[in-house]
Amino acid sequence: MVTVHTIEEPEVRSWDFPRGTAGVAVMAEYAADRGVSTAALLAGTGLDEAALAEPDRQIPARTELAVVRNLLAALDDEPGLGMGVGQRYRVSTFGIFGYACVTSPNLREAISLALRYYRLGFAFCRPVVEFRPGEVVARIDHELIPVDVRTFLVERDVVAMHRVMSDLLGERLNLSRAEFAYPEPPHAGRMAELFGVRPRFDCDHTLFAIDPEVLDRPLPQANQPTWQVCVAQCHEMIRRRTARTGIAAEVRDRLLPGSGANPGSPPTLEAVAHELNMSARTLRRRLDESGTSYRALLDEVRRALAEEMLTAAPLSMDDIAIRLGYAEATPFIHAFKRWTGHTPAAYRRAHQMR
């Protein structure tokens, strides 16, 4: 049972990151069932049907947006289109990432893992999860999604999240509440049947909530050895996808100690922008276009330094925290758990045993 208020969120701040083709394949299957050919759905995207079967194929997020627009144009008279597509998602849709979730010890760990490896999924909405006493709330950040596809993607992503969590538990997950920041649609009744609660509409924010009691239930397919292997593979996939080049590499290099930066007092984004002869606004935009942010790059550097200090130096947690710019050990421990899924002490013990 949750007893403290904590917040977890993906490290990426935008939907604009490369992703696999499985999300497009789900839409293609749905469209085909309604008489829309895959060729028509993929028109103008540079993709063909063969590309959807390539497990390692990566596409820009904007390519998937083009497919969404084709789907909306072809089936614009179908109510609840986003809901229908979202229900097609399964844990298996997400490959090794999904297998890591399904073999997690409980739903709490599966949610944390999903947020940690968010870039291995296909969502455009960005969930920020608050673990509160008595309630777990997922606030759905969708303000940056283009307006013409926003409602479809909000419904698709929220329904897909609900479907996957139900699959993980082995039974339908009833929400305790659901709120949407748009007018009530004709299919609101269908949404109520799916979620187990009547959604509210025209709200200030989009969110859904669940009873924290379900978080610590063992998942039916939990398997610790398999989970550890899958998590390691997820980490390697992220490492390969985020091999930094271009502007992201230039910024990260300026945050490393070898460049003269002090990890305990890193340069500000404004200072880095000045070194690169551009405005802070331009730097933010270029990092966003690269699918990252100054905060994400700073976290990368801090994580690498933390792992090095935990395994190569006999430093206390307070010492490591201070060297990385934290006032004390507690926020460092929370950050390390968010980065790796493990506490610093557990990480140190695991490496000392090797």
Side-chain angles (χ1 to χ4, degrees), residues 41-322:
L41 187 71
L42 301 180
T45 67
L47 297 174
D48 57 25
E49 192 165 356
L52 304 188
E54 297 177 27
D56 297 325
R57 178 72 175 266
Q58 293 286 292
I59 60 172
R62 294 181 187 278
T63 298
E64 184 165 341
L65 278 185
V67 176
V68 169
R69 291 186 170 110
N70 287 347
L71 180 68
L72 290 173
L75 299 173
D76 63 340
D77 59 345
E78 181 175 327
L81 182 58
M83 179 180 172
V85 174
Q87 287 181 283
R88 294 289 183 105
Y89 279 80
R90 295 291 186 277
V91 174
S92 58
T93 305
F94 300 88
I96 196 68
F97 174 41
Y99 204 48
C101 291
V102 82
T103 56
S104 297
N106 52 49
L107 187 62
R108 182 198 304 271
E109 286 295 340
I111 291 172
S112 293
L113 185 145
L115 294 171
R116 198 157 65 247
Y117 297 109
Y118 175 81
R119 280 176 289 183
L120 297 180
F122 313 101
F124 281 78
C125 297
R126 184 175 176 275
V128 178
V129 181
E130 293 187 53
F131 297 86
R132 306 172 179 172
E135 187 178 49
V136 178
V137 179
R139 178 169 166 174
I140 307 301
D141 181 357
H142 50 66
E143 285 75 13
L144 298 179
I145 298 175
V147 174
D148 63 318
V149 295
R150 186 178 297 168
T151 298
F152 169 85
L153 287 171
V154 168
E155 286 193 9
R156 185 198 73 169
D157 288 358
V158 169
V159 169
M161 291 173 197
H162 175 262
R163 183 68 197 232
V164 168
M165 287 192 293
S166 296
D167 283 353
L168 293 177
L169 291 168
E171 62 184 29
R172 189 183 77 168
L173 173 65
N174 287 322
L175 304 183
S176 58
R177 61 186 172 116
E179 300 177 3
F180 293 89
Y182 56 80
E184 181 170 330
H187 54 280
R190 288 168 51 202
M191 296 174 76
E193 291 177 7
L194 179 66
F195 296 145
V197 67
R198 183 80 184 185
R200 295 175 56 225
F201 296 91
D202 282 318
C203 299
D204 292 336
H205 305 287
T206 296
L207 60 84
F208 64 86
I210 63 175
D211 186 336
E213 182 273 331
V214 302
L215 290 179
D216 297 316
R217 278 191 215 160
L219 298 185
Q221 298 185 60
N223 185 299
Q224 185 73 12
T226 303
W227 178 71
Q228 290 176 326
V229 170
C230 291
V231 170
Q233 291 183 33
C234 288
H235 180 68
E236 177 60 20
M237 289 168 67
I238 287 289
R239 188 195 66 77
R240 291 198 305 268
R241 291 188 186 184
T242 57
R244 298 302 185 191
T245 58
I247 189 65
E250 291 188 57
V251 172
R252 188 183 59 184
D253 288 347
R254 282 164 172 77
L255 298 175
L256 292 168
S259 68
N262 176 5
S265 181
T268 63
L269 179 141
E270 289 74 16
V272 173
H274 180 73
E275 280 190 44
L276 295 172
N277 297 313
M278 64 180 71
S279 68
R281 181 177 180 180
T282 298
L283 179 56
R284 284 194 189 92
R285 177 178 55 79
R286 290 188 59 186
L287 289 174
D288 184 60
E289 290 170 351
S290 299
T292 188
S293 65
Y294 175 82
R295 176 187 170 186
L297 293 172
L298 183 57
D299 277 352
E300 278 185 22
V301 170
R302 282 175 165 163
R303 172 179 175 166
L305 293 173
E307 290 176 347
E308 181 180 339
M309 285 187 273
L310 285 167
T311 56
L315 298 171
S316 70
M317 294 302 163
D318 282 322
D319 287 337
I320 294 173
I322 290 170

